[in-house]
Amino acid sequence: AQSVSQHNHHVILSEAASLELGCNYSYGGTVNLFWYVQYPGQHLQLLLKYFSGDPLVKGIKGFEAEFIKSKFSFNLRKPSVQWSDTAEYFCAVPSYNTDKLIFGTGTRLQVFP
Amino acid sequence: EAQVTQNPRYLITVTGKKLTVTCSQNMNHEYMSWYRQDPGLGLRQIYYSMNVEVTDKGDVPEGYKVSRKEKRNFPLILESPSPNQTSLYFCASSSGTGVRLEQFFGPGTRLTVL
């Protein structure tokens, strides 16, 4: 079955540290890829998305992600995290044969001042 | 303001007592969906709807019903809730072909079934 894997379940960083969260997907065809963020007590909101073109995608709040087709990966990065980045991050990919969105299990990021 | 609204935001109920969680969007979106979020499991899709009168099962539809009589509304119905349906529920909507585009999420409904 098609799947999305996020291997980092819980990441703890100090402010100004660099961040990379892993996301791997199982389908090798044409993909659209998303990163959503959920701040404490809030709903999910889109952080960034890849549809086609430049594999390095820039999103809001200084986040970026790189689509590497050969590795089936779409890792999320930020050069210098802030306390306000404390949140849960979800990678998602549309199902290739149905109209469903498949989410990873999420990565909880805690940033300490 | 473009948004997805859900009601109620918090609900505590007892096993077997039918309940409905409402979802409404004001963006004229064709696609609407319900998810449940559980620790360690991420978000799992319950049901989705491509348009009025068109609904389909997601990954975890057992114990839930939905209807789409109007474009803006997509209520989630639990005919006989059980404790394993205690969860955080999100409604979402998007335009066009749905999952290929950004989904807009509601604020969530935290349901506890005793």
Side-chain angles (χ1 to χ4, degrees):
Chain A
Q2 194 176 358
S3 64
V4 176
S5 299
Q6 292 182 245
H7 304 294
N8 315 105
H9 299 296
H10 191 189
V11 174
I12 301 173
L13 295 172
S14 298
E15 274 193 318
S18 65
L19 170 72
E20 181 160 3
L21 302 182
C23 172
N24 289 91
Y25 59 93
S26 61
Y27 175 60
T30 302
V31 289
N32 307 134
L33 295 154
F34 301 87
W35 275 99
Y36 283 86
V37 60
Q38 184 180 29
Y39 297 104
Q42 296 189 26
H43 61 283
L44 278 82
Q45 53 188 289
L46 185 69
L47 199 55
L48 50 78
K49 60 188 176 187
Y50 171 79
F51 283 171
S52 63
D54 188 343
L56 186 61
V57 180
K58 299 217 183 279
I60 60 172
K61 303 186 179 184
F63 284 90
E64 64 179 33
E66 185 175 12
F67 169 55
I68 304 179
K69 190 173 182 179
S70 61
K71 295 185 178 180
F72 298 89
S73 71
F74 189 55
N75 292 353
L76 181 71
R77 301 195 293 245
K78 186 170 184 178
S80 176
V81 295
Q82 301 172 306
W83 176 79
S84 58
D85 293 324
T86 293
E88 191 152 16
Y89 294 81
F90 293 93
C91 184
V93 59
S95 169
Y96 69 88
N97 61 352
T98 66
D99 291 292
K100 299 191 291 187
L101 191 62
I102 301 168
F103 282 88
T105 53
T107 297
R108 184 177 169 216
L109 172 66
Q110 281 185 291
V111 180
F112 289 97
Chain B
E1 180 191 354
Q3 60 182 348
V4 178
T5 57
Q6 294 178 230
N7 282 292
R9 295 288 312 280
Y10 303 91
L11 179 60
I12 301 174
T13 189
V14 295
T15 299
K17 186 176 181 182
K18 181 180 178 180
L19 66 92
T20 299
V21 184
T22 64
C23 172
S24 183
Q25 51 92 4
N26 62 2
M27 295 168 280
N28 202 35
H29 284 167
E30 288 87 357
Y31 186 97
M32 297 185 75
S33 182
W34 276 103
Y35 298 88
R36 60 177 290 173
Q37 183 180 15
D38 302 289
L41 298 176
L43 277 87
R44 294 178 293 168
Q45 195 167 31
I46 303 171
Y47 269 95
Y48 63 96
S49 169
M50 296 291 289
N51 214 324
V52 175
E53 301 293 0
V54 180
T55 63
D56 212 341
K57 295 178 180 178
D59 294 314
V60 288
E62 293 78 20
Y64 304 95
K65 285 175 58 176
V66 293
S67 69
R68 188 91 182 271
K69 294 185 170 59
E70 305 166 282
K71 198 172 188 178
R72 64 183 293 127
N73 296 324
F74 191 45
L76 180 69
I77 303 156
L78 284 72
E79 294 271 3
S80 183
S82 62
N84 64 13
Q85 292 179 296
T86 292
S87 187
L88 179 57
Y89 291 86
F90 288 100
C91 181
S93 73
S94 61
S95 62
T97 52
V99 291
R100 266 56 183 178
L101 301 173
E102 175 185 357
Q103 299 221 351
F104 294 85
F105 285 83
T109 295
R110 187 167 291 281
L111 172 66
T112 301
V113 184
L114 302 174

